[in-house]
Amino acid sequence: MAAQEKHPSAGAPQKGAEAPAPLHVAVVMDGNGRWAKQRGLPRSLGHRAGVEALKRTVEAAPKLNIRWLTVFGFSTENWSRPATEVAELMALPKRYFESDIVRLEREGVRVRVIGRRQGLSKELVKIIDDAQARTAHNDRFFLNVAFNYGGQADIADAARRFAEDVAAGRAEPSDLTEARFQGYLATADSPPPDLIIRPSGEQRLSNFLLWEAAYAELVFQDVLWPDYGEEHLKAALQAFAARDRRYGAVVADDVLAAG
Ligand code: IPE
Ligand code: MG
């Protein structure tokens, strides 16, 4: 909630003002399966190549003045995939953190894994807890990994936690404002995303950051996630810079012209 209020790109937009680099970029990492299929490879190898793309993106983002990166790794709906593929996806956080946690820690990256812990193995929960604990002191760059995450599930969980606070006498129903509700979400500590990128040619949110996406700019790119890298991120930032963000208001010049 506080993070949202402090968010520097919010507020009255100025016409002609240069669009600031987005502070918070969120990415739906999509297209691993198609990438593998194009090469006659099993889908699991597409997912592994997707982890390499994540590494490239995490490395490129701070150089492009991005401070928060939220990536969609596994959705609450992905459980409906074949069990073998679910197992392969479940193995990816271990693969990623085992190879990169030392570098993330050293480079000032704070890692948070957002999403439900129910359904994850004890081993995976421990890997997640370790990654979060090892990087908890960092504040140069914030990496949120959405894993076993669904926007609707998170809103439902937030509503349940607020209801629990009401039942316990810690809150009143009339206390609930948008800002207060945001404080119950898994992303409570992050500003809302300025830019949501979806590669692979699909044009939908697929239950990603539904509440948080209210004023995000959406950029869709025709590249499969395993091929993603710094150049694609730069192109997405260029598209973002050309957008006119008004947050439901009118720009100052138009107010004067109308007056
Ligand atoms: C993204 O790639 C990985 C996850 C959704 C977990 P996909 O597996 O969705 O790849 P496509 O969409 O089949 O190409
Ligand atoms: Mg997909």
Side-chain angles (χ1 to χ4, degrees), residues 8-230:
S9 63
Q14 298 295 316
K15 201 173 205 171
E18 207 169 296
L23 282 176
H24 185 172
V25 173
V27 183
V28 179
M29 303 187 289
D30 194 21
N32 298 351
R34 279 162 283 171
W35 183 92
K37 194 173 177 193
Q38 283 175 0
R39 289 163 177 74
L41 298 170
R43 292 176 63 86
S44 59
L45 292 189
H47 296 314
R48 288 185 193 185
V51 172
E52 298 309 311
L54 174 62
K55 293 180 188 176
R56 289 194 294 274
T57 306
V58 170
E59 209 159 317
K63 291 193 267 171
L64 298 170
N65 295 325
I66 295 165
R67 280 209 81 200
W68 277 267
L69 180 70
T70 300
V71 295
F72 206 0
F74 187 90
S75 91
T76 45
E77 287 69 43
N78 288 149
W79 291 106
S80 61
R81 294 192 179 194
T84 49
E85 182 164 352
V86 169
E88 283 151 7
L89 293 167
M90 286 291 141
L92 297 180
K94 181 176 181 184
R95 192 180 186 85
Y96 176 57
F97 291 132
E98 268 182 358
S99 76
D100 271 38
I101 195 66
V102 171
R103 194 166 59 82
L104 292 169
E105 189 178 358
R106 191 182 57 225
E107 292 180 3
V109 179
R110 178 162 186 178
V111 175
R112 285 198 188 87
V113 178
I114 59 170
R116 288 181 173 162
R117 296 293 185 264
Q118 302 100 289
L120 306 186
S121 71
K122 273 198 183 126
E123 186 201 13
L124 179 50
V125 171
K126 188 178 178 315
I127 288 165
I128 290 170
D129 288 346
D130 285 351
Q132 293 188 150
R134 283 180 68 161
T135 61
H137 58 283
N138 282 339
D139 62 3
R140 198 175 78 83
F141 184 79
F142 299 88
L143 174 65
N144 296 325
V145 180
F147 199 85
N148 197 20
Y149 172 89
Q152 292 181 341
D154 195 44
I155 291 169
D157 289 347
R160 186 180 314 106
R161 284 192 285 271
F162 179 71
E164 284 165 1
D165 280 352
V166 170
R170 293 187 292 263
E172 291 289 331
S174 57
D175 294 343
L176 193 61
T177 59
E178 291 93 320
R180 175 109 187 227
F181 189 75
Q182 201 255 336
Y184 284 90
L185 295 173
T187 54
D189 295 333
S190 308
D194 301 285
L195 168 63
I196 298 180
I197 298 170
R198 183 164 189 159
S200 92
E202 309 288 356
Q203 304 198 355
R204 52 180 175 269
L205 281 177
S206 297
N207 204 10
F208 189 39
L209 302 176
L210 295 184
W211 173 281
E212 298 86 341
Y215 283 100
E217 296 294 332
L218 309 180
V219 169
F220 302 102
Q221 292 180 291
D222 274 325
V223 51
L224 299 172
W225 176 250
D227 289 326
Y228 209 86
E230 184 166 351

